[in-house]
């Protein structure tokens, strides 16, 4: 487990369990504040859903029935356990990542997919990388996805951080449009965001229940806790969409910067609306997310 440390900040990574962040913490005079929900102690075989943050690659969100057509090719992906019969969040979060290099302030992880792999039937080969850089003011995560196939492929990137302390947390974000969806969370269309899901002014998360993708994000989020000394300012580039997940009865929530809407490969809207990207052979797309720790 690579551990990065700078000043009062510490980040622990778990490359072997989905290329995840297991812990991101900030020490202060009164103790330690977890900036992301940490991996609980005592789990013998932790998975990505136990982690502080996991990567979304080569797509984010659900694909209806795991099936889509792209550039004359029909693709059938296996269903994921958390949302059958649909596929969700690509493959990086369920795979082991290779540590390319690591020291006390930075680490670089890589995941390679072979388009001929029958275990996960994404027919295009690709390389994915995550670069983690920690300084005394925060953590920067840079994700890259490169198409290694001989034909174009759809591509997408995102991060899925979990934040604890929902009972005292407030979220500020500009999310002007929302993808409406049915009970299976598959988008049915896009509309102006209703007041109950607007975060232009800091909003108490204890009063919010939501599991939707939003469009028109400027990539800027701020989370602060009424009872904690540090706030978290998030700046994401390459992520004009965001998923906000605050399930009933839980003390965590998620605010996820992503490059495209769920099921973008099946939506009738233009790519300028869905965020769908067609990566040419050898082409690379990138998402950068800065998690800045600031005194309240």
């Amino acid at each position: 487990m690579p551990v990065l440390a700078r000043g009062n900040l510490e980040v622990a990574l778990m490359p072997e369990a989905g290329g995840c962040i297991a812990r991101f913490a900030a020490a202060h005079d009164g103790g330690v504040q977890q900036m992301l929900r940490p991996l609980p102690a005592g789990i013998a075989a932790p998975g990505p859903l136990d982690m502080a943050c996991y990567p979304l690659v080569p797509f984010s969100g659900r694909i209806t029935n795991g099936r889509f057509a792209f550039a004359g090719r029909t693709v059938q992906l296996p269903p994921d356990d958390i949302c059958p019969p649909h596929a969700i969040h690509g493959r990086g979060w369920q795979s082991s990542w290779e540590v390319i290099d690591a020291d006390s302030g930075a680490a670089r992880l890589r995941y390679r997919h072979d388009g001929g792999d029958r275990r996960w039937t994404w027919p295009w080969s690709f390389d994915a990388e995550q670069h983690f850089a920690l300084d005394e003011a925060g953590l920067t995560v840079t994700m890259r996805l490169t198409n290694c196939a001989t034909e174009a492929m759809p591509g997408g990137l995102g991060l899925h951080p979990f934040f604890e302390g929902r009972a005292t947390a407030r979220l500020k974000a500009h999310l002007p449009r929302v993808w409406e969806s049915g009970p299976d969370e598959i988008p049915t269309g896009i509309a102006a965001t209703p007041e109950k899901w607007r975060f232009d002014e800091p909003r108490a998360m204890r009063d919010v229940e939501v599991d939707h993708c939003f469009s028109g994000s400027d990539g800027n989020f701020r989370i602060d806790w009424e009872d904690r000394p540090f706030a978290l300012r998030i700046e994401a580039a390459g992520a004009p969409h965001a998923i906000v997940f605050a399930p009933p009865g839980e003390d965590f929530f998620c605010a996820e910067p992503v490059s495209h809407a769920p099921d973008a490969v099946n939506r009738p809207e233009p790519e300028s609306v869905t965020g769908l990207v067609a990566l040419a052979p050898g082409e690379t797309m990138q998402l950068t997310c800065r998690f800045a720790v600031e005194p309240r």
Side-chain angles (χ1 to χ4, degrees):
M1 177 189 292
V3 177
L4 315 181
R6 283 288 186 271
N8 67 325
L9 303 182
E10 183 177 275
V11 172
L13 306 175
M14 290 200 72
E16 70 278 16
C20 296
I21 300 172
R23 184 178 69 255
F24 177 26
H28 55 87
D29 290 342
V32 174
Q33 179 178 334
Q34 300 294 335
M35 305 311 302
L36 300 176
R37 184 199 68 180
L39 171 66
I43 299 180
L49 296 178
D50 303 311
M51 299 295 178
C53 179
Y54 60 79
L56 311 177
V57 62
F59 63 85
S60 163
R62 289 165 172 77
I63 292 178
T64 302
N65 298 319
R67 186 178 177 87
F68 66 97
F70 183 84
R73 181 194 289 269
T74 298
V75 178
Q76 180 65 64
L77 298 173
D80 281 295
D81 291 342
I82 64 173
C83 62
H86 312 303
I88 191 169
H89 293 337
R91 192 62 171 179
W93 68 302
Q94 299 188 59
S95 303
S96 178
W97 291 60
E98 176 187 4
V99 179
I100 303 303
D101 52 57
D103 59 30
S104 62
R108 186 160 58 102
L109 310 183
R110 181 170 62 202
Y111 163 58
R112 288 178 164 173
H113 170 71
D114 180 352
D117 188 343
R118 295 185 179 182
R119 294 169 298 176
W120 192 66
T121 48
W122 183 270
W124 302 278
S125 298
F126 64 81
D127 276 2
E129 286 194 3
Q130 295 183 85
H131 182 260
F132 301 88
L134 184 68
D135 57 50
E136 294 187 356
L139 172 68
T140 301
V141 183
T142 302
M143 301 183 69
R144 295 186 180 95
L145 171 64
T146 300
N147 179 7
C148 299
T150 58
E151 57 187 282
M153 79 167 197
L157 291 169
L159 285 171
H160 196 305
F162 292 82
F163 305 99
E164 65 172 8
R166 178 173 162 192
T168 61
R170 295 180 299 179
L171 171 65
K172 177 178 171 60
H174 179 61
L175 305 171
R177 297 186 298 280
V178 64
W179 288 89
E180 299 174 313
S181 61
D184 60 0
E185 305 301 333
I186 298 296
T188 57
I190 190 169
T193 301
E195 175 57 33
K196 65 179 179 178
W197 294 329
R198 295 193 72 92
F199 304 94
D200 295 277
E201 297 299 324
R203 185 164 202 151
M205 291 306 294
R206 64 176 173 268
D207 301 326
V208 176
E209 292 182 7
V210 61
D211 185 6
H212 283 72
C213 181
F214 297 83
S215 292
S217 171
D218 58 9
N220 296 315
F221 308 80
R222 182 179 173 87
I223 300 166
D224 65 80
W225 293 263
E226 298 170 5
D227 57 347
R228 304 186 186 192
F230 296 119
L232 196 61
R233 178 169 50 83
I234 300 171
E235 298 176 343
H241 306 263
I243 297 170
V244 181
F245 176 45
E250 299 286 351
D251 192 41
F252 72 84
F253 66 99
C254 305
E256 310 160 34
V258 298
S259 66
H260 63 86
D263 209 28
V265 289
N266 286 316
R267 294 300 308 165
E269 295 86 358
E271 295 177 4
S272 60
V273 175
T274 65
L276 180 67
V277 172
L279 283 178
E283 187 177 4
T284 298
M285 65 181 296
Q286 178 171 302
L287 184 153
T288 301
C289 187
R290 171 73 174 172
F291 297 90
V293 178
E294 300 180 339
R296 288 188 59 236

